[in-house]
Amino acid sequence: MLKRFTKNVTQSVAGMIGISVYVLADTFFISVYSGADGLAVLNLILPVYGLIYAIGAMIGIGSATRYAISRAKGENTEHYFVQSVT
């Protein structure tokens, strides 16, 4: 149980670090090519990006959880993908 927990936490932390490195690299290149105005726009847009990412993650994780539970019970699971996309 602890091994599975550690694996899941490690993957989650690695994903967060990956997104942080992406934002850091994006910030660097925007500051070099666009200057202060580009950084201002980036700082205004980053919360929107975070909100879209959070909503997508909630839909994806929630759908995957419902799919796994329904599949374990032997129920029909074909409609979960379509529901999550729409």
Side-chain angles (χ1 to χ4, degrees):
M1 179 75 172
L2 182 62
K3 187 175 182 178
R4 266 179 48 194
F5 176 75
T6 304
K7 178 183 173 188
N8 290 334
V9 168
T10 304
Q11 291 174 350
S12 179
V13 169
M16 287 184 216
I17 290 172
I19 291 171
S20 297
V21 169
Y22 165 75
V23 170
L24 183 64
D26 198 31
T27 303
F28 172 74
F29 288 112
I30 288 175
S31 69
V32 168
Y33 293 109
S34 297
D37 290 339
L39 281 178
V41 171
L42 179 66
N43 286 327
L44 290 172
I45 290 300
L46 276 177
V48 176
Y49 170 78
L51 184 65
I52 291 170
Y53 179 79
I55 290 171
M58 284 189 289
I59 291 171
I61 292 169
S63 298
T65 303
R66 289 198 55 173
Y67 172 83
I69 291 171
S70 295
R71 186 165 179 179
K73 290 180 180 178
E75 299 173 0
N76 184 13
T77 57
E78 295 176 3
H79 60 281
Y80 285 121
F81 177 74
V82 176
Q83 285 179 344
S84 64
V85 170
T86 55

